[in-house]
């Protein structure tokens, strides 16, 4: 059994436990509806920006603990915001990624950036939960879901004011993505093996609809990679580990973005 299968099985158990404490109907009654007014899709449409989606996470199954014990969500979120990121991704899985239930709400209090809830969504319950948490965008992983569920989950997310990022890893998964998806993400990390292939994004990009907002995710640690991916037509880039493993993720993020802009200016000058 690969890691993605293990996560899926655990997530099913986790959602069932949540339903036992707070029913679906109770959650729906408690969940606000309507847009939060923070559109990640809109921000990623700005072609003049580097469009970094900076991530807050404490650990991962492949790297265990990656952030320092003193990393506070509000401090990191504020620092990311001051770096003018286009969005903030928050890992909310507790079992495999060490998240706390308050992470999104703490970050939301200090930022006006759109917040992506990055988790393993397998049930409609989690979509309402995402809205209640304060997320603006949810992640759907094509490797975990059938096409009909992706369509159903996307429809429900839009109904309650959430945008949807659908993540793919290969051309076959692209077939599952409905036209209604707001953003397509190509993950450079294979979630079944956790191996990283930077060229994966470029190889798949040519198969995507030209009018669809598309980001490259995972394994990006060098500004040179951003330049190459922007040249290939990507609208944004999700980066977490490269920032979170440093003493000050906000400073690391700002330095990374400054280098990207400087290199883009040099490139344009030629």
């Amino acid at each position: 059994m690969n890691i993605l299968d293990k996560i899926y099985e655990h997530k099913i158990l986790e959602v069932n436990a949540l339903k036992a404490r707070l029913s679906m109907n109770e959650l729906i009654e408690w969940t606000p509806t309507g847009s939060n007014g923070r559109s990640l899709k809109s921000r990623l449409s700005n072609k003049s920006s580097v469009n970094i989606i900076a991530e807050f996470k404490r650990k991962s199954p492949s790297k265990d603990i990656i952030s320092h014990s003193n990393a506070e969500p509000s401090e990191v979120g504020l620092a990311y915001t001051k770096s003018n990121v286009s969005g903030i991704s928050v890992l909310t899985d507790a079992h495999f990624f060490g998240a706390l239930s308050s992470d999104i709400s703490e970050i939301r209090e200090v930022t006006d950036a759109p917040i992506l809830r990055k988790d393993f969504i397998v049930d409609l319950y989690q979509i309402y939960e995402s809205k209640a948490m304060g997320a603006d965008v949810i992640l759907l992983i094509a490797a975990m879901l059938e096409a009909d569920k992706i369509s159903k989950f996307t429809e429900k997310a839009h109904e309650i004011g959430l945008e949807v990022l659908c993540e793919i890893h290969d051309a076959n998964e692209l077939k599952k993505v409905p036209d209604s998806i707001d953003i397509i993400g190509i993950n450079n990390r294979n979630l079944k093996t956790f191996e990283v292939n930077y060229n994966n994004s470029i190889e798949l990009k040519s198969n995507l609809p030209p009018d669809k907002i598309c980001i490259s995710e995972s394994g990006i640690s060098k500004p040179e990679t951003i330049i190459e991916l922007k040249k290939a037509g990507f609208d944004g880039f999700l980066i977490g580990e490269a920032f979170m493993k440093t003493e000050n993720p906000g400073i690391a993020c700002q330095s990374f973005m400054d280098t990207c802009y400087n290199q883009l200016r040099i490139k344009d000058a030629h």
Side-chain angles (χ1 to χ4, degrees):
M1 182 182 293
N2 61 54
I3 185 62
L4 195 60
D5 292 334
K6 291 179 180 178
I7 291 174
Y8 181 87
E9 288 192 357
H10 188 274
K11 195 59 61 173
I12 294 293
L13 297 174
E14 182 181 301
V15 172
N16 288 338
L18 288 170
K19 289 179 178 179
R21 293 199 296 270
L22 183 70
S23 73
M24 183 74 157
N25 288 336
E26 289 172 322
L27 177 59
I28 290 174
E29 289 180 6
W30 188 55
T31 302
T33 57
S35 172
N36 290 330
R38 301 179 180 185
S39 172
L40 181 60
K41 180 180 178 180
S42 176
R43 296 211 184 187
L44 294 175
S45 298
N46 182 0
K47 302 297 183 182
S48 64
S49 174
V50 174
N51 287 333
I52 299 296
I53 303 168
E55 190 162 87
F56 179 86
K57 65 177 179 180
R58 294 181 173 84
K59 68 176 187 176
S60 74
S62 62
K63 296 290 181 68
D64 197 30
I65 296 175
I66 60 172
S67 63
H68 295 279
S69 59
N70 60 350
E72 293 292 336
S74 58
E75 292 179 6
V76 175
L78 181 59
Y80 281 160
T81 304
K82 290 180 178 179
S83 298
N84 293 316
V85 295
S86 295
I88 298 177
S89 171
V90 185
L91 245 302
T92 60
D93 177 86
H95 184 77
F96 294 95
F97 290 85
L100 300 179
S101 59
S102 59
D103 286 346
I104 282 185
S105 61
E106 289 185 25
I107 290 176
R108 188 171 184 84
E109 288 181 1
V110 298
T111 188
D112 60 356
I115 295 177
L116 164 68
R117 182 196 181 186
K118 195 173 182 186
D119 208 317
F120 302 87
I121 291 181
V122 298
D123 193 285
L124 278 174
Y125 188 94
Q126 294 166 283
I127 297 176
Y128 285 99
E129 182 188 41
S130 300
K131 181 71 173 182
M133 282 179 172
D136 303 286
V137 192
I138 60 167
L139 171 71
L140 299 180
I141 301 174
M144 296 185 75
L145 301 169
E146 297 302 322
D148 61 337
K149 275 198 172 182
I150 295 175
S151 294
K152 181 180 180 181
F153 289 177
T154 299
E155 181 180 356
K156 182 57 65 176
H158 287 165
E159 185 180 305
I160 63 174
L162 293 170
E163 292 184 341
V164 180
L165 163 63
C166 187
E167 176 182 293
I168 64 172
H169 302 81
D170 57 44
N172 287 329
E173 291 176 4
L174 178 59
K175 298 174 184 177
K176 299 181 181 181
V177 181
D179 292 338
S180 56
I181 283 291
D182 300 291
I183 305 163
I184 295 177
I186 300 178
N187 199 332
N188 303 304
R189 179 176 288 116
N190 186 317
L191 291 183
K192 295 180 179 179
T193 65
F194 272 77
E195 294 178 351
V196 173
N197 177 9
Y198 297 104
N199 292 320
N200 195 44
S201 288
I202 296 174
E203 292 169 0
L204 283 175
K205 180 67 174 70
S206 61
N207 296 318
L208 302 183
D211 60 340
K212 187 67 67 176
I213 296 294
C214 183
I215 68 170
S216 178
E217 309 173 41
S218 300
I220 300 172
S221 59
K222 297 179 181 179
E224 291 78 13
T225 305
I226 298 290
I227 307 305
E228 183 179 1
L229 292 171
K230 278 188 72 69
K231 182 180 178 181
F234 282 88
D235 302 292
F237 314 92
L238 195 152
I239 304 175
E241 188 175 307
F243 302 150
M244 290 302 299
K245 69 182 182 181
T246 67
E247 289 285 349
N248 192 315
I251 290 177
C253 177
Q254 183 65 68
S255 177
F256 186 93
M257 293 179 67
D258 288 345
T259 302
C260 287
Y261 280 117
N262 288 335
Q263 291 194 10
L264 283 169
R265 292 191 192 99
I266 293 171
K267 184 179 184 302
D268 290 342
H270 287 81

